[in-house]
Amino acid sequence: MGRAEAPMERSADSRQTVDSGIAPSSAAGIALTDRLLRFTLILGALTAFAPMSIDMYLPSLPTLGRDFATGTEQVQATLSAFFIGLALGQALYGPLSDRFGRRPPMFVGIAIYTVASVGCALATTIEWLVAMRFLQAMGGCAGVVIARAVVRDLFDARDSARMLSRLLLVMGLAPILAPLAGGFMLNVAGWRAIFWALSGFGALCFVGVIALPETRQASAAPLRFGAVLRRYGNLLAHRRFMGFTLSAGCAQAGMFAYISGSPFVFIELYGVPAHAYGWLFGLNALGLIAASQVNRRLLDRHEPQQLLTWSFRATAGFGLLLVVAAWTGVGGLIVLLLPLFGFVTSLGFVGPNATACAMAPFADQAGGASALLGTLQFGAAAVAGTLVGLLYDGTAVPMALVMATCGIAAWIVRGALVR
């Protein structure tokens, strides 16, 4: 981390925060100072709202079905509701953070997340839990969308990709530790303890944001609905933005198809104990983290777009191999895990590079660009997760088919829209 990297570029807005010391620069490049390290940890925790809130309770999905006396489709609605909340909420927080600065909307969002987590812990019906999961996502997505905007406030495209890879290193601990912790809490104290723990995580993040400097000053311009729609319209009409956003969204949707389907495939189909599910899930997450750090090093010699081309080919190829493994059933769980690991690992190259390339031209509206990016990507995730639930037939085939479709779609969309 200490080696020299390319010097960063700041937008006009972010120059007002140079004296914060968050983004130190020198003739040699960027040094990972203590303050930047603290900054990275805080932003990493904020981007971890989604994986923490999803992955920690995955081992409890079969248990929820039994406790609420409901079917697989209704239980998976708690995941779909969370994805929908993440998609819709980001569209709201982006313009708010461009208008009022990054910190105020973040405080509001984290407060909503914390209260909704308590509501999840107190749920007495599956409908109540679904509603609270939606509200939990509407609050937690503030950290996700604003963290990306803060990175764009301070860094150019290549350094943004590096910084996002660092954040993925921090955020990536969630998919490893969260299912393990969730499985442990499920066995010891029941599924409600998981949501009490998430409410505590939200409270800690609220305290952490107090130390986060403002990277964009509030604007005096009024926040008009029509102007927000026009800005979103301009982004939707931007071919390269949409190319990077939609291709990455398709690939990430494959990840969420895996998240939705794997608890039932691993635990019910292959008989993996709930407490051991976290180890399998964490192994794939470890591949994702490792790939993101390899990506950071490769950016010294390659452009983000070039790395994206390679990663999309890998995602599509592993998706097809996954279908073959699920369809034939040859080798059982071990053979299924191999292409699954490859698919998830390839996403460690997709997220940082696609996000950096998509947001690079939009220094003056980083919040809005980050919001639309997240809305479209989590919207695709919601569709993929819902499809896995609707198609579930007691085998791994629906999960594999949706993941493969997402991987191939990502490769096609990137080639069609990005020249």
Side-chain angles (χ1 to χ4, degrees):
M1 285 189 177
R3 64 184 291 184
E5 298 171 355
M8 67 183 169
E9 171 187 288
R10 297 185 181 89
S11 68
D13 292 313
S14 67
R15 289 191 188 100
Q16 298 171 349
T17 64
V18 171
D19 60 355
S20 69
I22 289 301
S25 62
S26 65
I30 304 171
L32 191 60
T33 64
D34 290 342
R35 187 169 296 194
L36 182 56
L37 178 59
R38 186 164 60 250
F39 175 74
T40 303
L41 291 174
I42 294 172
L43 288 187
L46 294 175
T47 58
F49 269 118
M52 282 287 290
S53 305
I54 295 168
D55 303 340
M56 185 174 283
Y57 98 124
L58 287 179
S60 70
L61 290 185
T63 302
L64 288 174
R66 292 190 293 270
D67 280 8
F68 288 117
T70 189
T72 299
E73 184 179 339
Q74 287 73 30
V75 172
Q76 286 186 321
T78 63
L79 272 175
S80 298
F82 192 85
F83 296 153
I84 294 170
L86 283 173
L88 296 179
Q90 292 189 64
L92 175 67
Y93 288 111
L96 289 176
S97 72
D98 283 340
R99 167 63 178 83
F100 298 107
R102 308 304 185 203
R103 282 163 51 91
M106 203 179 304
F107 280 119
V108 172
I110 296 174
I112 293 173
Y113 172 90
T114 304
V115 172
S117 297
V118 173
C120 290
L122 299 176
T124 56
T125 65
I126 192 68
E127 292 79 13
W128 181 351
L129 184 59
V130 168
M132 288 297 101
R133 287 287 285 170
F134 176 80
L135 188 60
Q136 188 187 40
M138 287 289 288
C141 67
V144 179
V145 66
I146 296 175
R148 285 195 301 258
V150 168
V151 171
R152 181 58 191 92
D153 286 340
L154 299 173
F155 298 94
D156 64 11
R158 180 173 288 191
D159 285 328
S160 288
R162 287 193 180 97
M163 188 63 187
L164 290 167
S165 293
R166 287 194 181 105
L167 296 187
L168 195 56
L169 176 62
V170 179
M171 182 191 73
L173 293 175
I176 295 176
L177 300 178
L180 295 173
F184 175 78
M185 284 185 280
L186 176 65
N187 288 333
V188 173
W191 63 266
R192 296 181 191 277
I194 296 172
F195 290 106
W196 286 115
L198 289 174
S199 66
F201 174 70
L204 288 175
C205 287
F206 190 94
V207 174
V209 170
I210 296 174
L212 190 68
E214 181 61 76
T215 59
R216 179 184 176 94
Q217 298 303 313
S219 169
L223 188 65
R224 294 191 177 92
F225 183 69
V228 171
L229 288 182
R230 283 194 297 273
R231 286 196 291 271
Y232 278 144
N234 292 335
L235 289 168
L236 289 169
H238 196 283
R239 185 187 183 98
R240 287 175 63 82
F241 174 83
M242 292 300 295
F244 289 121
T245 297
L246 292 179
S247 58
C250 289
Q252 296 291 344
M255 174 70 168
F256 286 102
Y258 155 65
I259 289 172
S260 296
S262 61
F264 299 95
V265 170
F266 291 172
I267 296 174
E268 295 193 343
L269 178 61
Y270 288 104
V272 175
H275 67 273
Y277 168 82
W279 292 105
L280 292 179
F281 197 88
L283 178 64
N284 288 322
L286 189 61
L288 178 71
I289 295 173
S292 70
Q293 300 316 296
V294 172
N295 177 72
R296 187 168 62 86
R297 295 303 182 186
L298 289 177
L299 285 166
D300 291 339
R301 301 186 302 275
H302 303 284
E303 292 295 325
Q305 289 190 51
Q306 187 178 17
L307 297 176
L308 272 177
T309 300
W310 299 339
S311 58
F312 282 138
R313 290 172 182 168
T315 303
F318 283 121
L320 290 174
L321 291 175
L322 183 62
V323 171
V324 173
W327 196 281
T328 63
V330 175
L333 180 59
I334 297 298
V335 172
L336 184 74
L337 287 174
L338 294 176
L340 191 59
F341 178 83
F343 187 100
V344 175
T345 297
S346 69
L347 298 180
F349 297 95
V350 172
N353 294 314
T355 300
C357 289
M359 294 183 60
F362 304 105
D364 293 334
Q365 48 179 318
S370 175
L372 185 58
L373 182 147
T375 295
L376 294 175
Q377 291 186 355
F378 279 102
V383 171
T386 301
L387 278 176
V388 172
L390 292 174
L391 298 175
Y392 183 69
D393 59 359
T395 74
V397 173
M399 180 186 76
L401 280 174
V402 175
M403 290 179 67
T405 301
C406 291
I408 294 169
W411 177 53
I412 292 173
V413 169
R414 194 267 178 199
L417 295 182
V418 179
R419 303 298 184 187

